Amino acid sequence: MDRSGTSREISGVPDIFAGLLRAFAKTTLGKGPHMPLTETRLRALKTKDKPYKVADQRGLYVEVTPAGSKLWRFRYRIGKIEKKLSIGSYPEVSLKQARDATYEARQAVASGGDPALEKRKRKIREEFLTAQTFDTVAREFSVEPCEP
C-alpha cells in the first residue's frame, strides 16, 4: 500500500511480485543480464552497414565490421580513462584464447599496468631486434670496391 492507502499493482500483480516481474521483463527484453558468447553464436554473426559490438563478458567483446571481419577487443579503465586492447581476429584467435588474453590483461590492470602500452612496447622491441641483425648492419656499411 502507498501513502494514500491504496495498493499499487502493475497490471494486476501485487507489490510483492512487481520487482520480480520487472527483473524478468529486463532479461527477456535484452536489457538485463546477457549470456556469454558461444562459438555457434560467433559463427552466426552477420555483417551490417555499420560496425557493431557483441559483448561476451568482463570487458571482452567482438566487433563485427561491414567488411565481415570479427575483431576481439578488451575494454578497460585506468583511472577515469577508458582504453581498448586489440586481441586479434576471429577465427584466428578462438573464444577461449581471447578469454585467456583478457584474463591476463585484467591481471595486468589490477597490478597497476597498462596492457595496451605493454603490447606496444613489446612490438617495438621485436621490430628493433629483428632489424638489428649482423647481416643487416653489414649490408648498410658495405662499401663498393673502388675501381682503379
Side-chain angles (χ1 to χ4, degrees), residues 36-56:
L37 285 173
T38 61
E39 290 286 337
T40 307
R41 189 167 170 216
L42 277 169
R43 285 191 299 268
L45 293 175
K46 303 294 180 198
T47 61
K48 295 182 180 178
D49 294 339
K50 295 182 179 179
Y52 68 97
K53 302 172 188 173
V54 180
D56 180 40

Side-chain angles (χ1 to χ4, degrees), residues 47-106:
T47 61
K48 295 182 180 178
D49 294 339
K50 295 182 179 179
Y52 68 97
K53 302 172 188 173
V54 180
D56 180 40
Q57 58 187 3
R58 305 184 96 191
L60 178 65
Y61 65 94
V62 65
E63 183 175 329
V64 183
T65 64
S69 59
K70 299 169 186 172
L71 307 170
W72 290 111
R73 306 254 194 252
F74 172 58
R75 183 176 26 219
Y76 63 98
R77 287 184 175 276
I78 294 184
K80 294 184 178 182
I81 300 170
E82 182 177 300
K83 297 189 173 196
K84 295 176 190 166
L85 174 68
S86 298
I87 296 173
S89 62
Y90 177 83
E92 287 81 24
V93 177
S94 70
L95 178 59
K96 183 178 182 341
Q97 291 170 331
R99 285 179 179 162
D100 290 344
T102 302
Y103 177 75
E104 292 171 7
R106 269 198 315 271

Side-chain angles (χ1 to χ4, degrees), residues 11 60 120 130-131:
S11 64
L60 178 65
R120 213 172 303 129
T130 57

Side-chain angles (χ1 to χ4, degrees), residues 103-137:
Y103 177 75
E104 292 171 7
R106 269 198 315 271
Q107 286 182 329
V109 170
S111 65
D114 184 353
L117 183 62
E118 292 300 321
K119 182 179 177 182
R120 213 172 303 129
K121 284 180 184 177
R122 191 171 46 248
K123 186 176 179 182
I124 291 170
R125 189 177 308 119
E126 288 173 3
E127 287 175 0
F128 177 76
L129 291 176
T130 57
Q132 294 299 323
T133 63
F134 180 78
D135 186 39
T136 308
V137 174

